[in-house]
Amino acid sequence: MPRIPRDKSFESTLALIRDPYRFIAKRCQRYEADLFETRLLLRRTICMTGPDAAQLFYDPSRFERRGAMPKAIQKTLLGEGGVQGLDGEAHRYRKQMFMSLMTPERIEQLVKRTAAEWQIRMRRWASAEEVVLYTELHELLTRAVCAWAGVPLVEQEIDARTREIAALFDHAGSVGIRHLWSRWARKRADHWMAQIIGNIRSGHAHPPEQTAAHIISWYRDSDGELLPPHVAAVELINVVRPTVAVSVYITFVAHALHEHPELRERLASGDEGYAECFVQEVRRFYPFFPAVAARVIQTFEWNGYRFPEGRRVLLDLYGTNHDARAWERPGEFDPERFRRWDGSPFNFVPQGGGDHDVGHRCPGEWIAIGLMKLATEFLTRRMSYEVPEQDLSITWSRMPPVPGSRFVIRNVRAS
Ligand code: HEM
Ligand code: MYR
């Protein structure tokens, strides 16, 4: 039986933190295998990359999520008690709640609401000396998604709420003070959302029926009970937070347009098919969510390798999106490749892979794509701007790895 290659170092957590997006693929190349074993956060962990590994990882009979995510990520980014840590029937039941929010009509309404916020902010940007796009997008998206989701925002609180939501994804994957700020933001955000759920349940607030706030407040779980208030809060944040995190992808849209100005004309012509290919290539090309974690349910063999019960397994998302077995010239930014893409749920996994309903694949993909296309339209057709000299390099050790300058623009004009 072949043995899973073992990484030489005793504990690899530091190496992973230093280079979270390339850590797994680099070592797999070194060991000439799809997988290797190491110790991460003091636990033996099998790290895997590529489409075959993704297909294995997304077989729900092999892996469970219970207890797989590091506590530090649950105490910040994800929260505790949410859909991400559920398995089997309980997961499928809860997942339906999220999937029911993602109808084309509802997504169209979110896109429209977001377009209105772009219009308002664009006017403000026109009179500003310089605009930091990434941070501006946090507030723009917070306003849009809260309105859409039925989450009330008091005007005086918007700045603080925006910062809290952004801290959940912008500072979760860091160490030191930034990480502590993310933990504090999680406490504040959970408390805030639990209050909103309480107001709805007590009849003091009545968001429209189709909104996430209404649906989550009144959702009956697989046991027939309403979700405990803190769990409902975590799930409502699971809609708001990642929508604001689309600011990362939109910043990458702006980055890609800057790096490849020759694409602008084609995008500005309103070619829908090409815009779709462009945003898909942004999601493939840029690093964002590094890896997903699970645990082996019962010992099994795969390609002769032994996966023992309880072992933690990480699937490399960035590396899979750049795997040369699935992608020609993976390091080149080329939207056209999506005209030839085979549509496999295992080779293109920026937001996870496999099946949306049965597995843990992100239910927010259509929102991300919709908001990225809208941003492309604004940045190519509905406004003009200049990109001054700045540090646009991607900091590979940062999660998420937004450009150093956070993308500054100036001389913004509506067009
Ligand atoms: C799950 C990435 C946007 C809601 C996930 C997963 C990833 C991911 C990697 C885990 C997949 C897995 O465990 O196998 C992203 C990225 C986004 C994004 C990079 C871009 C900003 C969204 C949006 C929403 C959303 C807009 C909702 C409005 C969720 C939820 C889950 C999830 C609820 C848990 C699903 C489950 O456990 O079954 N996302 N996501 N995400 N995402 Fe997203
Ligand atoms: C969201 O769910 O809010 C959208 C994506 C946020 C990505 C933040 C990236 C840093 C988190 C590190 C996760 C490490 C998992 C092993």
Side-chain angles (χ1 to χ4, degrees):
M1 189 193 285
R3 261 174 58 96
I4 297 179
R6 278 269 174 91
D7 198 51
K8 291 180 301 292
S9 54
F10 172 70
E11 168 68 40
S12 303
T13 309
L14 266 182
L16 176 73
I17 288 173
R18 266 192 223 119
D19 196 6
Y21 297 95
R22 296 176 293 201
F23 170 84
I24 297 178
K26 263 188 190 164
R27 281 163 185 76
C28 283
Q29 247 172 12
R30 187 183 302 157
Y31 301 125
E32 296 182 349
D34 280 351
L35 74 183
F36 65 94
E37 188 180 303
T38 187
R39 276 168 72 99
L40 287 171
L41 298 171
L42 303 173
R43 268 168 72 175
R44 286 173 75 173
T45 304
I46 297 173
C47 301
M48 325 194 282
T49 195
D52 292 349
Q55 186 157 13
L56 170 69
F57 184 89
Y58 282 106
D59 175 350
S61 68
R62 305 265 203 212
F63 299 101
E64 62 185 5
R65 299 304 179 94
R66 188 170 50 94
M69 262 294 164
K71 262 276 173 254
I73 299 299
Q74 291 177 42
K75 294 264 181 206
T76 52
L77 181 71
L78 301 181
E80 292 169 290
V83 63
Q84 291 93 341
L86 299 181
D87 293 299
E89 195 49 34
H91 170 259
R92 272 196 295 279
Y93 215 86
R94 187 83 63 83
K95 188 65 175 284
Q96 269 318 109
M97 179 178 81
F98 287 96
M99 297 304 285
S100 74
L101 304 172
M102 305 300 166
T103 62
E105 299 74 42
R106 284 297 286 150
I107 291 180
E108 190 47 39
Q109 284 165 4
L110 174 61
V111 170
K112 283 218 170 93
R113 183 75 238 180
T114 311
E117 294 296 341
W118 271 91
Q119 289 288 3
I120 294 168
R121 296 207 83 79
M122 217 165 54
R123 265 178 249 134
R124 292 242 307 258
W125 297 343
S127 55
E129 179 104 356
E130 281 193 338
V131 171
V132 182
L133 187 63
Y134 180 55
T135 14
E136 283 291 310
L137 288 166
H138 291 164
E139 189 177 315
L140 187 161
L141 292 169
T142 299
R143 286 177 182 271
V145 70
C146 285
W148 176 78
V151 172
L153 271 177
V154 181
E155 192 62 34
Q156 303 90 292
E157 281 185 1
I158 288 186
D159 187 45
R161 293 293 176 212
T162 299
R163 285 165 191 268
E164 272 161 35
I165 296 164
L168 298 177
F169 64 83
D170 204 40
H171 302 318
S174 62
V175 284
I177 220 79
R178 269 179 59 213
H179 181 79
L180 291 179
W181 164 211
S182 188
R183 285 193 182 227
W184 188 74
R186 165 56 67 181
K187 288 204 177 101
R188 300 250 321 167
D190 279 356
H191 183 72
W192 171 50
M193 283 300 185
Q195 255 177 351
I196 289 171
I197 301 281
N199 287 343
I200 295 169
R201 287 181 176 171
S202 65
H204 289 97
H206 303 276
E209 270 186 18
Q210 72 278 19
T211 59
H214 175 93
I215 289 172
I216 293 173
S217 293
W218 298 115
Y219 195 74
R220 294 205 176 258
D221 218 3
S222 50
D223 58 4
E225 301 290 330
L226 294 178
L227 302 175
H230 68 277
V231 174
V234 163
E235 300 298 36
L236 191 48
I237 295 173
N238 264 337
V239 173
V240 172
R241 179 205 70 246
T243 305
V244 179
V246 177
S247 55
V248 175
Y249 272 151
I250 297 177
T251 303
F252 291 147
V253 162
H255 193 272
L257 289 172
H258 182 66
E259 296 279 304
H260 308 282
E262 71 283 1
L263 306 181
R264 276 184 166 274
E265 204 177 317
R266 187 110 178 251
L267 289 164
S269 74
D271 178 344
E272 261 290 306
Y274 191 66
E276 174 96 15
C277 292
F278 172 73
V279 302
Q280 293 292 58
E281 180 65 345
V282 169
R283 293 201 306 144
R284 185 197 71 84
F285 182 82
Y286 286 92
F288 191 169
F289 208 108
V292 280
R295 283 176 353 138
V296 175
I297 298 174
Q298 219 176 25
T299 304
F300 68 88
E301 266 178 39
W302 177 71
N303 292 344
Y305 295 114
R306 186 168 176 273
F307 283 67
E309 181 177 336
R311 181 75 79 247
R312 178 150 72 191
V313 175
L314 283 188
L315 175 72
D316 170 23
L317 300 182
Y318 177 78
T320 302
N321 291 341
H322 287 254
D323 194 301
R325 291 167 293 189
W327 304 101
E328 274 171 37
R329 295 168 282 102
E332 246 173 60
F333 186 87
D334 173 18
E336 291 288 344
R337 67 171 79 245
F338 275 93
R339 295 211 193 268
R340 305 183 294 271
W341 177 48
D342 63 5
S344 158
F346 304 116
N347 59 22
F348 177 50
V349 291
Q351 294 173 233
D355 187 87
H356 291 97
D357 295 287
V358 177
H360 284 268
R361 185 177 184 145
C362 177
E365 288 196 283
W366 304 282
I367 287 186
I369 292 169
L371 296 183
M372 289 169 79
K373 277 194 193 162
L374 177 75
T376 307
E377 187 184 322
F378 269 91
L379 295 173
T380 59
R381 287 205 280 167
R382 296 172 72 169
M383 62 190 249
S384 64
Y385 56 93
E386 288 167 16
V387 181
E389 210 42 56
Q390 60 190 286
D391 174 17
L392 285 176
S393 63
I394 305 279
T395 316
W396 284 88
S397 58
R398 190 185 195 280
M399 286 187 277
V402 283
S405 61
R406 311 287 186 268
F407 213 89
V408 176
I409 56 176
R410 69 177 179 209
N411 268 335
V412 177
R413 297 280 171 272
S415 54

